[in-house]
Amino acid sequence: MSREIKKGTVIHRGSLDCTGLLLVRSGQLRAYILSDEGREITIYRLIEMDVCLFSASCIMRNIQFDISIEAERDTQVWVIPADFYRELMEESAAVANYTNRLMSGRFSEVMWLMEQILWKRLDQRLADFLLQESVLEGETVLPITHEKIANHLGSAREVVTRMLRYFQGEGLVKLSRGCVELTDLRGLSALSGR
């Protein structure tokens, strides 16, 4: 079944939902976790032809994920109902193997994120995020708020604002309302450790 999702719409809310397997036709989705205090951190993003298995986590026994999924852009997805996909997995070794590979890939992404949070300084993570965002947008002028950046990084907006002002003082970025312009890609890349 095909579904259109407007930018900003949350289409999956944790282990209570079993939306079904999502295959992104166009647009962009963000998978994130939400703390009890309301802070967010982006786990991964999904772009064209990516598959979101966590939106159908109910098909996996003894595994529950409290991951929310939001459309970052107007997005079109194909939704494969969870029951139908579960039957496919039980009947086809190839589908089961594909599911396991997908799950291990996402688990690797989550472990990489944990390493970043635990071992990498915020300035490095912020520089890396800005560079990744620039690649996703295909632009060096990013229409993004400090709050949104903080949500992606699992930080407080005030901390991100201070760090962005420091970056601006160093000539790495130029700030304006709702916008961050990357002015020194080499400097950001060096800072991020790329």
Side-chain angles (χ1 to χ4, degrees):
M1 148 174 77
S2 184
R3 184 173 170 195
E4 292 191 24
I5 305 152
K6 292 288 181 198
K7 178 181 177 176
T9 303
V10 176
I11 58 171
H12 179 79
R13 292 186 191 274
S15 60
L16 299 177
D17 282 351
C18 195
T19 307
L21 198 79
L22 301 176
L23 173 60
V24 180
R25 285 175 54 188
S26 65
Q28 183 173 306
L29 300 176
R30 174 176 82 107
Y32 64 96
I33 55 176
L34 188 62
S35 75
D36 291 339
E37 297 82 34
R39 287 183 44 197
E40 300 175 6
I41 187 164
T42 299
I43 302 297
Y44 57 85
R45 289 165 143 169
L46 299 152
I47 57 175
E48 187 174 325
M49 299 313 292
D50 278 342
V51 176
C52 185
L53 189 60
F54 289 148
S55 56
S57 60
C58 59
I59 65 174
M60 285 162 253
R61 293 176 183 90
N62 301 322
I63 298 179
Q64 291 185 341
F65 299 97
D66 284 330
I67 292 176
S68 297
I69 301 168
E70 170 189 31
E72 287 193 304
R73 297 183 181 153
D74 287 346
T75 303
Q76 292 184 328
V77 295
W78 287 294
V79 180
I80 301 171
D83 291 338
F84 177 75
Y85 194 77
R86 181 185 297 121
E87 288 176 26
L88 273 176
M89 278 183 15
E90 290 170 359
E91 294 173 11
S92 169
V95 172
N97 286 337
Y98 171 76
T99 304
N100 287 334
R101 279 195 313 272
L102 210 93
M103 184 62 76
S104 66
R106 292 295 180 221
F107 181 71
S108 293
E109 289 178 35
V110 170
M111 290 308 295
W112 176 85
L113 177 64
M114 291 301 297
E115 287 177 359
Q116 298 299 302
I117 292 168
L118 292 172
W119 311 122
K120 208 170 183 183
R121 296 185 328 254
L122 181 62
D123 61 340
Q124 294 173 310
R125 290 178 45 226
L126 177 56
D128 192 48
F129 171 79
L130 293 172
L131 291 168
Q132 287 178 24
E133 193 71 12
S134 177
V135 170
L136 274 175
E137 293 293 327
E139 302 272 340
T140 56
V141 177
L142 307 175
I144 191 166
T145 64
H146 298 189
E147 181 75 27
K148 197 73 168 164
I149 294 170
N151 287 345
H152 281 290
L153 298 177
S155 184
R157 183 196 54 77
E158 298 80 13
V159 174
V160 168
T161 296
R162 276 195 303 272
M163 191 63 64
L164 285 170
R165 286 183 182 151
Y166 169 75
F167 282 11
Q168 182 170 256
E170 295 295 309
L172 300 171
V173 301
K174 181 180 177 189
L175 303 175
S176 58
R177 186 167 185 83
C179 190
V180 178
E181 180 182 350
L182 310 187
T183 55
D184 183 357
L185 295 176
R186 258 197 201 131
L188 286 168
S189 186
L191 180 59
S192 74
R194 283 185 172 209

